[in-house]
Amino acid sequence: RDRFPNLFGNAWHDAADVFYGRYQEIHMAQLTPLSGAQAMLENIHRQGIFMSVVSNKTGSYLRQEAMHLGWDRYLKNLIGAGDAEQDKPSLDPVHMALADSGTGPGQTVWFVGDADIDLECGTNAGCVPVLIRENEPEGDEFDDFPPQHYVKNCHQFNELVTSLSA
């Protein structure tokens, strides 16, 4: 809802129909979890850590995919594009994700993501921004919203969480 009008002008509704029509056809068949993701979620869940998702993927697709993978049992709130009044980097979806957690945004909450918008959202919310992606940050890539932690993959993130909770 934010990018398609900029990309396609007045034809953005038609472009969205084509995109989401094709996405609906293939997204479940193409769904492949990252290596170590299942073990990471199980470990964090076992420790009693509250987990939610804030994504710019359309909320209905996000929830379908989590159910398909069986990850909905670990994740309390799955907030996607269109679920809140505004999408990330707004704080609206962060507040929705933390509903029923017993806490609000702050330094006790980690905001984990793989893109600059995730770090921006986490920083704006006062949370601990964590970058998880294979490629290390380059130069001034995240000068405006630097990660407090960086890991390359789910295995390293799992190790980080385990080491800090020990």
Side-chain angles (χ1 to χ4, degrees):
R1 69 180 174 184
D2 294 329
R3 296 186 192 234
F4 270 50
N6 292 335
L7 291 171
F8 301 104
N10 291 337
W12 80 268
H13 286 289
D14 294 333
D17 289 345
V18 170
F19 174 82
Y20 285 114
R22 181 68 177 132
Y23 189 83
Q24 180 65 36
E25 292 173 11
I26 66 168
H27 80 113
M28 295 305 259
Q30 299 293 321
L31 187 62
T32 306
L34 295 172
S35 176
Q38 181 72 34
M40 176 191 71
L41 291 170
E42 288 173 0
N43 179 49
I44 295 169
H45 179 74
R46 195 171 33 253
Q47 292 183 51
I49 297 171
F50 182 91
M51 291 184 286
S52 287
V53 172
V54 174
S55 176
N56 276 348
K57 179 179 283 191
T58 300
S60 60
Y61 293 132
L62 177 67
R63 288 182 286 278
Q64 286 174 17
E65 292 172 4
M67 284 181 54
H68 177 76
L69 294 169
W71 291 358
D72 54 321
R73 67 180 175 261
Y74 305 122
L75 304 165
K76 300 299 182 196
N77 298 311
L78 293 117
I79 310 303
D83 291 336
E85 185 72 27
Q86 296 179 337
D87 298 329
K88 60 178 186 185
S90 166
L91 301 188
D92 293 347
V94 177
H95 289 289
M96 290 176 71
L98 291 173
D100 305 320
S101 70
T103 191
Q107 287 294 296
T108 60
V109 176
W110 284 18
F111 201 98
V112 182
D114 64 354
D116 57 347
I117 196 167
D118 300 312
L119 300 180
E120 179 181 354
C121 189
T123 299
N124 289 345
C127 300
V128 175
V130 179
L131 179 64
I132 180 171
R133 69 172 195 193
E134 202 60 39
N135 300 329
E136 292 187 31
E138 295 182 16
D140 60 355
E141 182 179 8
F142 296 109
D143 279 356
D144 291 337
F145 305 102
Q148 288 185 27
H149 298 283
Y150 162 71
V151 295
K152 288 183 176 260
N153 53 45
C154 294
H155 300 287
Q156 285 186 357
F157 185 78
N158 199 15
E159 290 172 8
L160 176 62
V161 171
T162 299
S163 71
L164 294 176
S165 62

